[in-house]
Amino acid sequence: MEKPYEPAKPKPTKAPALAWVLQVLVACVLGASAIAKLAGNAESIMIFENLGMEPGGRYLIAILELAAALLLLIPFSAPWGAILAWGVMSGALIAHLTKLGLAGAMLPMTLAAVFNWCASTVILILRHNQIEFIRCMFACEKKEDPDTR
Amino acid sequence: MPQALRVDLHKLARFTNAALFALPALFFALGTLVSFYFHFLTVATFFLLVVNLFYRHVQNEHTILRNFGLIGQGRYLIESIGPEFRQYLYSNDREERPFNRLERTNVYRKAKNVESAASFGSLLDYDATELKLRHSLFPTPKENARPFRCTVGEERGVEVPHTLTRPFMISAMSYGALGDHAVRALARGAAAAGITMNTGEGGYPKYHLMEDADLIFQLGTAKFGVRTEDGQLDPDLLRKVADQPQVKMIEIKFSQGAKPGKGGLLPKEKITAEIAELRKVPMGEDVVSPPYHCECTDLAATVRFIGHVQSLVPIPVGCKLCVGSFDELRELVEEMKRQDTFPDWITVDGGEGGTGAAPRAFIDRVGMPLFPALHGLHQILVDSGVRKRLKLFASGKLIDAGRQCIAFALGADAIYSARGFMLALGCIQARECGNNTCPVGITTQEASLQAGLVIETKARRIQHYVDNTMHELEELITATGKTDPRELTIKDLYIPTGSNLWRMVEEESRLQGTLKS
């Protein structure tokens, strides 16, 4: 149908290399973490007992992390993977800040979660044109520079 | 009036915006105190909160999102699904445009070879605006029926004339506007039905030539496929096209009803590498044909150009135009008489003609409607004494036999239709032709959409549509007591006062009698 209004169509730009670098890194970290959880790593089991989500929650988080890793690697679905990763990492950060603490072995895990969280946000910002409701978040009419008219 | 409960969307938005602050906090508390599983909701509502804050404070393009936040997206969602809802649920059978549901269903039924007898009565208004066909007390007996034969080019003594055995042809739709599946299905169906197909102005008719149909090569203002570097006609390339045994005629396009006075338009989304190669145009920019042939600067040059093209090829050469001014046409016919050069036919395209892409102002407001235009040109040719020197073809929403009979009565020798055949191919009138997103794979280059259009099946639909429409045409002609559609004259029409033909006919003393009988 004729569109009831014409949204400003941004020129389809290839995602910058930075986005791909981050996508691969985050996918690797998430993938490793997911496999560790699924394999029943002793540390993971302890964490999830602490949270009161053992064993169902452990499998659920592992599946979500795996899904996010896969989505991040496909160019078409990368922004959705970024949203999913952002969500899971936010949950992880809440877990560390409220229940698990930052002592000992928790610190590298927290740092990894922080890195993933920041990287997912950056990926989503770089690829914001791919999802309409995300694009709308950043849609600003460019201010015309009077000197270059 | 008592104050009833009503929805105030602005208040609702203020409520949801506040709730989006409260919910993450609530779920955080629940997650910490009750069960960690609640943090799924904490994260989700926090995400929505961030999105909402950006909508209301960061972006400035969408006012609704700025004022209403997240729930404002509801407007855009519902608005985008509006056309589908209207077509499927809310529009009545005679409301949709350009072809209402009744008209489209009739074409679908003919194409699918489904019996389409109707019941109870007509859904039309039967008032002052609708033309009707006058029937005779004595319908034609079967033994008097004659097959249709119309030989184009016989007046000029063309070397290789072309004979139409059915008065129905597929009008110009270029490859580029259509995808290759649609082109091949149309061509295969045309061959099976024994009708001629116009290639459109898309350049060398590569996909048309893969099937067996008789073709009319259209020479548009951009002369795709037969042009020199600077847009002039290349005689050798034209001869090369005319040498193809399937190319039976050449049609010079001066203008079309949907955008008269403006050249053809192919949006950049639909330009693939192949189209860029066939038309010799760059990718990534809209292709806009010039509004007129560069050789045709005035009336004399125009007629000379027609004569020039006729001299280059042994096949009939005609032209297509939309009528703007009868005075201009009268002068054109005088010029043709002066140079003794006539196109072998003129296609009159009504202003209601269709298009894949055109500015709305041109679609809606430019160009005379078909019936007055056709009648006017026919009368000009009769009054100048040259009606027998050429044929007249008509196009413009002639998808069913009833309207086709009216065109014949007004002077047409044969009928072109484009959207009728698209509807037979499965067009659902989504009106997305220019976006490259045609949901049924006809007017798109996307392979994943064209995959839905199976050439063999759709070719059969085209054949059924032609056979059934021509059968209906024969029955209508029989009812009028004639043996050939071209025997119809304006006297066979009942013209009510509200029709846009009425004034034209009333002013002609010869024809006034038609209105009174």
Side-chain angles (χ1 to χ4, degrees):
Chain A
M1 76 298 306
E2 294 132 8
K3 299 192 178 60
Y5 65 98
E6 281 296 313
K9 268 211 178 111
K11 284 202 179 71
T13 48
K14 281 201 169 69
L18 176 62
W20 272 109
V21 169
L22 290 175
Q23 278 165 244
V24 171
L25 281 175
V26 173
C28 287
V29 176
L30 284 179
S33 159
I35 291 172
K37 289 189 178 69
L38 284 173
N41 186 327
E43 203 174 298
S44 305
I45 296 183
M46 224 174 52
I47 292 174
F48 279 91
E49 266 178 11
N50 192 344
L51 295 173
M53 286 165 77
E54 179 60 24
R58 179 162 58 89
Y59 290 131
L60 180 57
I61 300 294
I63 291 171
L64 289 176
E65 285 186 344
L66 212 47
L70 286 169
L71 289 175
L72 276 168
L73 292 175
I74 305 173
F76 178 70
S77 59
W80 295 101
I83 293 177
L84 191 52
W86 182 93
V88 176
M89 290 302 106
S90 303
L93 287 174
I94 294 176
H96 280 284
L97 289 173
T98 59
K99 283 239 162 76
L100 301 173
L102 300 167
M106 294 295 112
L107 187 58
M109 294 178 79
T110 315
L111 290 175
V114 171
F115 166 74
N116 275 352
W117 189 90
C118 295
S120 305
T121 314
V122 171
I123 293 170
L124 194 54
I125 293 175
L126 287 173
R127 286 179 172 269
H128 70 274
N129 281 332
Q130 279 181 260
I131 302 182
E132 189 58 29
F133 80 90
I134 304 286
R135 189 197 65 81
C136 285
M137 284 167 70
F138 300 96
C140 284
E141 291 288 340
K142 298 256 179 316
K143 285 206 186 69
E144 255 192 81
D145 187 350
D147 296 328
T148 61
R149 225 185 278 195
Chain B
M1 187 169 170
Q3 277 264 309
L5 284 177
R6 54 192 197 89
V7 179
D8 181 341
L9 285 171
H10 200 198
K11 280 207 187 118
L12 179 65
R14 281 201 281 261
F15 172 73
T16 55
N17 292 337
L20 276 174
F21 278 108
L23 285 176
L26 172 67
F27 288 125
F28 185 83
L30 287 172
T32 315
L33 301 169
V34 178
S35 161
F36 200 82
Y37 280 106
F38 273 105
H39 283 305
F40 279 109
L41 291 171
T42 314
V43 169
T45 47
F46 182 67
F47 178 69
L48 291 178
L49 172 64
V50 171
V51 172
N52 197 41
L53 287 173
F54 269 73
Y55 281 165
R56 289 174 57 213
H57 301 295
V58 174
Q59 66 90 27
N60 59 21
E61 218 180 74
H62 300 284
T63 307
I64 296 274
L65 293 179
R66 244 178 122 72
N67 284 342
F68 291 78
L70 202 57
I71 66 169
Q73 284 287 17
R75 169 184 159 83
Y76 300 118
L77 282 168
I78 298 179
E79 195 180 27
S80 75
I81 203 74
E84 282 85 352
F85 267 78
R86 286 192 284 280
Q87 186 183 106
Y88 298 142
L89 297 175
Y90 298 120
S91 297
N92 74 33
D93 280 344
R94 292 184 46 212
E95 251 177 357
E96 294 172 82
R97 297 257 148 204
F99 297 102
N100 64 43
R101 193 178 296 128
L102 274 182
E103 292 168 327
R104 285 183 285 123
T105 309
N106 276 327
V107 176
Y108 298 151
R109 285 187 155 159
K110 289 195 164 58
K112 295 180 184 174
N113 219 17
V114 169
E115 175 60 51
S116 60
S119 306
F120 206 59
S122 171
L123 294 181
L124 299 183
D125 278 332
Y126 266 80
D127 63 4
T129 58
E130 292 162 3
L131 294 164
K132 304 291 174 197
L133 202 57
R134 295 182 199 269
H135 63 281
S136 163
L137 277 173
F138 305 102
T140 318
K142 250 211 173 79
E143 53 270 17
N144 290 6
R146 289 188 290 119
F148 181 86
R149 279 188 79 79
C150 174
T151 305
V152 186
E154 58 186 354
E155 302 88 358
R156 187 161 58 97
V158 160
E159 239 181 271
V160 188
H162 178 58
T163 303
L164 300 170
T165 50
R166 295 185 112 160
F168 202 12
M169 299 179 286
I170 301 183
S171 189
M173 292 182 279
S174 63
Y175 167 62
L178 301 181
D180 60 90
H181 282 227
V183 168
R184 293 192 61 176
L186 285 169
R188 201 176 291 183
I195 63 171
T196 310
M197 176 178 178
N198 191 306
T199 65
E201 49 178 343
Y204 191 76
K206 169 179 168 191
Y207 288 101
H208 301 81
L209 291 171
M210 289 182 189
E211 308 293 334
D212 267 327
D214 290 342
L215 299 175
I216 303 173
F217 176 76
Q218 190 179 68
L219 187 57
T221 51
K223 305 192 180 62
F224 291 127
V226 292
R227 54 185 274 142
T228 61
E229 282 285 318
D230 56 349
Q232 308 269 349
L233 178 64
D234 185 326
D236 297 317
L237 288 176
L238 183 65
R239 281 197 201 99
K240 187 160 154 263
V241 169
D243 280 342
Q244 300 290 329
Q246 284 160 264
V247 175
K248 303 291 192 212
M249 307 204 276
I250 302 210
E251 185 182 69
I252 305 172
K253 173 190 164 189
F254 290 118
S255 55
Q256 72 176 99
K259 42 192 182 231
K262 187 167 165 49
L265 170 66
L266 187 64
K268 57 181 174 297
E269 291 89 358
K270 294 172 83 170
I271 303 180
T272 61
E274 184 180 26
I275 290 170
E277 175 56 36
L278 281 173
R279 296 197 186 194
K280 308 261 188 296
V281 293
M283 288 178 68
E285 300 167 13
D286 289 347
V287 172
V288 183
S289 302
Y292 57 91
H293 286 269
C294 51
E295 298 88 341
C296 302
T297 45
D298 59 19
L299 289 170
T302 305
V303 179
R304 270 199 305 275
F305 180 64
I306 299 175
H308 173 61
V309 177
Q310 285 177 334
S311 68
L312 290 175
V313 294
I315 52 180
V317 175
C319 66
K320 169 174 179 171
L321 49 80
C322 175
V323 174
S325 147
F326 286 133
D327 289 334
E328 260 187 352
L329 277 188
R330 249 178 234 115
E331 287 176 34
L332 181 66
V333 173
E334 286 307 311
E335 185 61 33
M336 288 178 188
K337 281 169 79 171
R338 214 170 297 139
Q339 294 189 30
D340 197 32
T341 300
F342 289 88
D344 292 312
W345 78 87
I346 298 180
T347 302
V348 180
D349 195 16
E352 63 265 57
T355 177
R360 180 131 301 268
F362 278 80
I363 294 183
D364 288 341
R365 291 289 178 197
V366 189
M368 203 183 283
L370 173 65
F371 292 151
L374 180 59
H375 172 68
L377 180 57
H378 172 80
Q379 286 306 127
I380 291 173
L381 292 170
V382 166
D383 293 340
S384 306
V386 295
R387 177 64 182 90
K388 291 205 171 26
R389 297 289 299 264
L390 57 138
K391 305 275 191 284
L392 273 183
F393 298 160
S395 62
K397 288 183 92 170
L398 299 174
I399 68 173
D400 65 276
R403 273 181 66 94
Q404 291 173 3
C405 275
I406 298 174
F408 280 118
L410 294 173
D413 292 302
I415 304 292
Y416 262 129
S417 180
R419 286 172 295 179
F421 285 97
M422 284 220 310
L423 288 170
L425 273 183
C427 168
I428 58 172
Q429 198 168 270
R431 291 182 287 127
E432 295 181 26
C433 326
N435 302 339
N436 204 26
T437 56
C438 172
V440 285
I442 299 177
T443 55
T444 175
Q445 307 301 329
E446 282 281 330
S448 58
L449 287 170
Q450 287 200 68
L453 204 170
V454 178
I455 297 176
E456 190 52 46
T457 317
K458 296 302 183 186
R460 269 201 295 276
R461 297 268 175 93
I462 300 292
Q463 186 186 359
H464 290 320
Y465 171 58
V466 173
D467 290 338
N468 289 328
T469 307
M470 290 299 97
H471 176 71
E472 197 168 72
L473 183 68
E474 276 157 30
E475 294 197 313
L476 286 171
I477 300 298
T478 304
T480 61
K482 311 258 194 294
T483 56
D484 186 294
R486 287 167 295 176
E487 287 174 26
L488 289 173
T489 68
I490 199 163
K491 293 192 172 65
D492 296 302
L493 289 181
Y494 167 72
I495 302 174
T497 53
S499 154
N500 53 17
L501 269 183
W502 194 85
R503 187 186 55 77
M504 287 176 79
V505 175
E506 207 220 1
E507 281 170 7
E508 290 172 52
S509 46
R510 278 175 297 155
L511 301 176
Q512 261 176 6
T514 319
L515 299 174
K516 299 201 173 85
S517 59

